[in-house]
Amino acid sequence: MLGNLLKIILFIGLVANFAGCAVLQKDAGSQEPPGAVSKEVGAYFYYTQSYLMKKQGDLSSAIELLGKAIARDRDSIYLKTELARLYVQHSDYKQAIEIVREIVKKRPEHVPSMTMLGDIYAAQGKHAKAIESYQKVLALESKSERLYLLLGSEYVKSKNPEKALDTYKNLTEINPESFPGYFHLGVVAVSLKRYELAEGAFLECLKLKPGYEQVLFKLLEVYEALEKDKKVLDTYNKILDNNPRSIKAAIGLGHYYLKTGETADAEKVFEKLKKRSRSNPLVIKQIALIYLDQKRYKEAVETLRQLLEDDSSKSDIYYFLGMALEGIKQIDEAISAYENVGGMSSYHQSALVHLSFLYQEKGDSNKAIELMNQAIEKQPQDPGSYLFLGALYEEMGSYEEAIDTLKTGLQFQSDHVRLHFRLGVIYDKAGYKNASISEMKQVIEIDPSHAEALNYLGYTYADLGKNLDEAEILIKKAMKYKPNDGYIIDSLGWVYYKQGLFDKALEFLEKASKLVSDDPTVLEHLGDAYQKINAPRKALKYYNKALENKESDKEPLERKIESIEKQLDQDI
């Protein structure tokens, strides 16, 4: 009985409130409370019940009851607007749009409905339609701050920052006291790297709200981009003067000192912060990550170990400690740290990858492969893991396993350029030339500007002595993207060699040998070209250089050297 009584009291109170609002709403000229037109009490009743259901979170019942209210007061724009809002809350945008369009058809200048139409389009991600709707409303209410802000936001979302900038500028011209107008103007100006404009906008914000911390942090972005060191430091100090316990400002100041080489000042800031935040491990962790980012591995190790003294069960701390130890080449200690990263940690898969790499560094390829397979099992869709596992097999000369690994990776991401490229390289090493050519073509199809694949395919054709005109086109295209790459220049020289254009070949092969002076293949190509123009002494010079740098398969080159030496002896 008490529950029903409360509902009756609430109902009477709400009706009284709505009745009291009737005059105010009519004066507003855009909304009428239920009953302002119709005198039927039934509309009040269903509206009130709908309101109660909405408060309780039962939107379906609220919509149904509000529909009954409208059935008793069909001319009420207010009730229909409220129903549209309920549909929006219920994510039923189709019904909401139908209602709003019906209202706008009857009342073309009904601002709340026209604005809501823009809001619905915005919620659906239909930015062009939202912009169109807001522009129509602005034609009616040209000084509405909210509409300018909504319009500017839609321009930003639709990746049209210049239009957003103009919108926020218009707002600040219409209303020079608009704090959000200046703030968003500054934010968009930063995104466009128009830092002077951004600085002016944020300074206007500070005139309206002196010392406002969020604006001061935005100004820091501007001053750092403009490399105004004094203003950066002044702004950090201003924030800390206003709020001495601002952890964000203290961390930022320390980070800035590190970036600018003021190590002693950074240490002072961080030591003070660490003492103050001894009970706040997140702050100390943030300092450690800054050290890690700045490659100050020793300081990172010390800070992370301090954290582990308080809580030795933190998997993520062990992960970052492993990275820091890896940075100072303490391999065994790094391995120990990574092995402490638990299986439930979000860093576990990354720790396995690092462990695999470190065991490979130690020469234990089998352990490295075992760990990388565990990493893949943990996260089977990570292309990087397949690339690294493929590289492990490739280094061991296990080309078939490498091929299978990379092909498995491509099952998850069929257009992954690096997987296709490495697969092409390994096919070539395994003696599958046609398969290698096919993979390189696939890479170029996915990424026509992939200089390495263009060069690889062109060089392969040249080495096989076929499609030489196409090989020249491919390699010249690669040179457009990497004009000073010695290996690409060598490939073009080798194409000319294969075409019998030996003088032209020498021009490019000489240039390539200067860029990559220790590559045995480039040096051997240059020797071959000199041999073709009957310059045996120069050929011998480059063959010997090539032999000095060659680690395996030396016999063919030794035979060339032996042949020239015999030729020179005979000439004597």
Side-chain angles (χ1 to χ4, degrees), residues 367-408:
K367 182 68 174 175
I369 287 170
E370 177 193 332
L371 288 161
M372 189 52 61
N373 276 315
Q374 287 180 34
I376 288 172
E377 187 178 340
K378 186 92 177 174
Q379 197 171 326
Q381 297 188 18
D382 176 23
S385 295
Y386 293 101
L387 282 166
F388 187 58
L389 181 57
L392 290 173
Y393 283 127
E394 181 183 354
E395 191 171 317
M396 293 172 67
S398 302
Y399 298 132
E400 297 300 332
E401 287 86 350
I403 289 167
D404 288 343
T405 297
L406 296 174
K407 286 168 75 175
T408 302

Side-chain angles (χ1 to χ4, degrees), residues 78-97:
Y78 177 83
L79 287 177
K80 289 176 181 178
T81 305
E82 287 300 302
L83 182 58
R85 286 197 180 97
L86 282 177
Y87 275 125
V88 170
Q89 285 181 262
H90 203 251
S91 299
D92 189 343
Y93 300 121
K94 185 179 177 183
Q95 288 288 344
I97 287 172

Side-chain angles (χ1 to χ4, degrees), residues 89 168 278 302 328 343 381 414 434 484 502 528 566:
Q89 285 181 262
Y168 294 131
R278 183 76 190 186
E302 290 171 359
I328 54 176
Q381 297 188 18
S414 61
N434 288 336
N484 297 312
F502 302 119
D528 289 344
K566 283 182 180 179

Side-chain angles (χ1 to χ4, degrees), residues 37-57:
V37 176
S38 170
K39 295 181 180 179
E40 295 182 44
V41 178
Y44 280 119
F45 174 78
Y46 286 115
Y47 179 86
T48 305
Q49 292 298 305
S50 172
Y51 177 84
L52 291 170
M53 291 299 102
K54 177 184 170 183
K55 283 287 185 184
Q56 292 173 21

Side-chain angles (χ1 to χ4, degrees), residues 254-261 288-297:
H255 193 189
Y256 192 75
Y257 277 136
L258 280 181
K259 283 197 322 189
T260 54
L289 294 182
I290 289 170
Y291 282 135
L292 201 54
D293 179 63
Q294 293 294 308
K295 295 182 170 53
R296 299 183 65 84
Y297 300 118

Side-chain angles (χ1 to χ4, degrees), residues 487 512-520 522-523 542 545-546 549:
Y487 296 103
S513 71
K514 289 173 185 174
L515 290 168
V516 279
S517 58
D518 59 351
D519 185 274
V522 173
L523 293 165
Y542 288 107
K545 278 189 178 181
N549 290 282

Side-chain angles (χ1 to χ4, degrees), residues 318-505:
Y318 279 112
Y319 175 73
F320 295 122
L321 179 60
M323 290 180 70
L325 290 164
E326 200 176 334
I328 54 176
K329 306 299 180 187
Q330 293 185 11
I331 303 303
D332 290 331
E333 291 86 345
I335 287 172
S336 178
Y338 286 131
E339 285 175 343
N340 274 298
V341 179
M344 299 303 292
S345 169
S346 58
Y347 295 100
H348 186 243
Q349 194 263 354
S350 296
L352 289 169
V353 173
H354 279 275
L355 280 168
S356 178
F357 174 79
L358 292 176
Y359 275 109
Q360 178 65 10
E361 287 277 290
K362 286 168 68 72
D364 192 343
S365 297
N366 290 327
K367 182 68 174 175
I369 287 170
E370 177 193 332
L371 288 161
M372 189 52 61
N373 276 315
Q374 287 180 34
I376 288 172
E377 187 178 340
K378 186 92 177 174
Q379 197 171 326
Q381 297 188 18
D382 176 23
S385 295
Y386 293 101
L387 282 166
F388 187 58
L389 181 57
L392 290 173
Y393 283 127
E394 181 183 354
E395 191 171 317
M396 293 172 67
S398 302
Y399 298 132
E400 297 300 332
E401 287 86 350
I403 289 167
D404 288 343
T405 297
L406 296 174
K407 286 168 75 175
T408 302
L410 284 167
Q411 289 176 11
F412 293 102
Q413 199 167 337
S414 61
D415 61 349
H416 195 277
V417 169
R418 288 176 63 201
L419 284 170
H420 278 293
F421 183 78
R422 289 312 306 169
L423 182 56
V425 170
I426 296 168
Y427 271 138
D428 190 14
K429 288 184 176 183
Y432 304 126
K433 285 287 184 186
N434 288 336
S436 176
I437 288 168
S438 176
E439 286 302 317
M440 291 305 163
K441 285 181 177 179
Q442 181 75 12
V443 173
I444 295 165
E445 186 177 332
I446 298 168
D447 179 7
S449 63
H450 197 289
E452 288 79 8
L454 289 163
N455 177 58
Y456 204 103
L457 182 57
Y459 181 80
T460 300
Y461 284 148
D463 215 35
L464 293 171
K466 69 175 190 179
N467 301 337
L468 293 178
D469 290 341
E470 185 182 349
E472 183 180 353
I473 291 167
L474 288 164
I475 294 166
K476 282 182 174 178
K477 192 179 287 187
M479 283 183 69
K480 285 183 182 178
Y481 300 112
K482 292 193 172 183
N484 297 312
D485 188 300
Y487 296 103
I488 296 174
I489 293 167
D490 169 74
S491 295
L492 186 58
W494 196 235
V495 169
Y496 291 137
Y497 177 91
K498 290 285 186 169
Q499 290 174 334
L501 305 171
F502 302 119
D503 288 334
K504 200 169 184 180

